[in-house]
Amino acid sequence: GIMAWATLLFDIYKPSLSSRWFDSFEIEREGRLYERSGVLLFRSFLQRIQWNRMLGVPAVRKSYAGITQMESGTRLSEASHWLCLVPIVIIVCFSIGSASRWTAVGFWIASAIDFHIYPIMLQRYHRPRYRRIQKHMERTGAEKNDSPGLSIRAS
């Protein structure tokens, strides 16, 4: 679907995804905003259906290189979902003018929330945690020996 096209575009053009947009805003850093928005329920659902396994995403990696790869993956996933939202927003904007298409508008809005907004929130929820782990590993020198003994909670 559309996510495959987004992934293909990112594979072809290889943007750096180093924009400050991917830095957490102050209100996001503790994660409470996303927790109140139901992102943990969404994450539970994805875990229950084993979404990452279906996509072939490796389990949590406990090394510095693995954490760095996971953090980078949150930026790529978030950017892909933003790219997918563009056509949905266009469809919704064109559909709003027609009262006979309210069912279609509702469908597109619901699909945007379920398939793109919640995934974006989930990526932004996890990224500060990965960055804190990276900084901790850098401070303690764990990134040099890539210690696999680092304890990482699943939440």
Side-chain angles (χ1 to χ4, degrees):
I2 194 166
M3 275 301 286
W5 282 105
T7 302
L8 178 66
L9 284 174
F10 282 111
D11 283 346
I12 291 170
Y13 294 106
K14 299 189 186 333
S16 72
L17 302 176
S18 60
S19 164
R20 290 189 50 97
W21 171 258
F22 295 106
D23 293 338
S24 299
F25 297 102
E26 186 67 35
I27 193 168
E28 297 176 291
R29 288 198 186 113
E30 294 301 315
R32 288 185 189 93
L33 171 71
Y34 296 123
E35 289 169 359
R36 289 183 191 128
S37 299
V39 79
L40 296 180
L41 188 62
F42 179 74
R43 185 181 69 185
S44 280
F45 169 73
L46 293 178
Q47 288 170 335
R48 184 166 287 120
I49 66 168
Q50 299 184 346
W51 182 250
N52 282 345
R53 182 175 289 178
M54 285 191 284
L55 295 178
V57 176
V60 172
R61 290 148 277 184
K62 298 180 180 183
S63 66
Y64 183 79
I67 296 295
T68 301
Q69 186 178 14
M70 289 166 58
E71 189 278 336
S72 174
T74 66
R75 287 183 274 128
L76 178 61
S77 179
E78 179 184 343
S80 297
H81 282 286
W82 279 116
L83 184 61
C84 292
L85 271 175
V86 171
I88 293 173
V89 169
I90 292 169
I91 290 168
V92 167
C93 288
F94 280 113
S95 297
I96 283 180
S98 172
S100 65
R101 294 199 176 139
W102 284 110
T103 303
V105 170
F107 167 79
W108 285 108
I109 290 172
S111 70
I113 291 168
D114 292 342
F115 297 118
H116 302 295
I117 300 296
Y118 268 104
I120 288 169
M121 290 190 313
L122 190 59
Q123 303 311 316
R124 294 194 69 84
Y125 176 77
H126 284 296
R127 190 173 310 118
R129 187 172 134 249
Y130 294 148
R131 288 187 175 173
R132 281 192 299 272
I133 293 169
Q134 285 175 303
K135 286 182 179 156
H136 173 75
M137 293 178 93
E138 289 164 2
R139 277 194 312 272
T140 62
E143 90 283 4
K144 291 182 179 109
N145 64 12
D146 234 10
S147 171
L150 177 68
S151 173
I152 301 173
R153 288 185 28 232
S155 62

